[in-house]
Amino acid sequence: MAKVVYIAGPITGVPHYWLPFEAAEEDLLTEGYIPLSPAHLPKGLTPEQYMRIDLAMIDCADAVYLLYDACKSKGAMLEYRYCKYVGKPVAATIKDLKEALHE
């Protein structure tokens, strides 16, 4: 069964924020993963509502893939800390992702 991977990165205040998420989705799909992306949520929710949804997606994922500039995002860093707390594998490259998932 394909592994599910959540994509974490900056969204708030980033013009065309969805582009790096879409590129990551394509990379993950090419490698046989099922990507979960917060870039495809409806507009108009509060930051707290988005984070609740994002954490639920992380809980459903086998691992988290950090976009290059995730460290610039308060939300992505909260997601990273959550992963560390619950023991969810986190990776910044496909190679590291495969290692984290023991593939």
Side-chain angles (χ1 to χ4, degrees):
M1 177 180 253
K3 301 281 185 173
V4 178
V5 178
Y6 176 84
I7 304 166
I11 292 177
T12 303
V14 177
H16 309 290
Y17 65 85
W18 60 88
L19 295 175
F21 285 89
E22 288 176 355
E25 285 178 64
E26 286 300 318
D27 291 344
L28 292 167
L29 284 167
T30 298
E31 294 295 326
Y33 297 111
I34 300 169
L36 291 178
S37 176
H40 297 296
L41 296 176
K43 298 194 183 321
L45 301 176
T46 66
E48 295 81 8
Q49 289 170 316
Y50 285 121
M51 189 53 61
R52 287 185 191 105
I53 294 167
D54 295 346
L55 294 178
M57 286 195 289
I58 289 170
D59 285 340
C60 293
D62 296 296
V64 171
Y65 183 70
L66 293 174
L67 295 179
Y68 170 74
D69 49 359
C71 63
K72 296 178 182 177
S73 167
K74 288 181 185 179
M77 288 297 89
L78 190 150
E79 293 165 351
Y80 173 80
R81 288 190 304 276
Y82 177 74
C83 289
K84 290 301 181 185
Y85 183 77
V86 299
K88 182 80 58 174
V90 177
T93 67
I94 296 290
K95 180 183 178 217
D96 291 343
L97 181 62
K98 288 181 181 219
E99 289 177 18
L101 291 171
H102 308 291
E103 299 177 330

